[in-house]
Amino acid sequence: QVQLVESGGGLVQAGGSLRLSCAASGITTSIFTMGWYRQAPGKQRELVATISSAGSTNYADSVKGRFTISRDNTKNTVYLQLNTLKPEDTAVYYCNGKLRWQNYWGQGTQVTVSS
């Protein structure tokens, strides 16, 4: 059974930082394209960042230069470093793993940024 378990969310002031973790079981994250998405209240889920099996990264324009996605294949874990947080970054952040027809989601972790 595949599980993606996010952690690291919380309440932080604007300008602060958080590091989200996504621990995977049942899949080998190194061969998947792993990503982080977020969904704010009343809005659609949107892409934040992805990292391919080759290590190529892709970011939403709104987070470029502030967020960094990385992976530790020895721990089967993907991270999202969130710096210089803004109130508009407030959302539930979801971990995702894709490989061909396989598409897995975590349960999400709440990030709240106060002004």
Side-chain angles (χ1 to χ4, degrees), residues 61-73:
D61 287 343
S62 58
V63 307
K64 279 181 184 174
R66 299 189 298 122
F67 293 6
T68 303
I69 189 170
S70 62
R71 65 200 308 162
D72 185 336
N73 293 333

Side-chain angles (χ1 to χ4, degrees), residues 35-38 45-48 92-94 96 98 105:
W36 288 93
Y37 292 72
R38 66 186 181 186
R45 192 172 297 189
E46 63 177 2
L47 170 73
V48 176
V92 178
Y93 284 71
Y94 296 91
N96 173 261
K98 286 191 179 77
W105 292 93

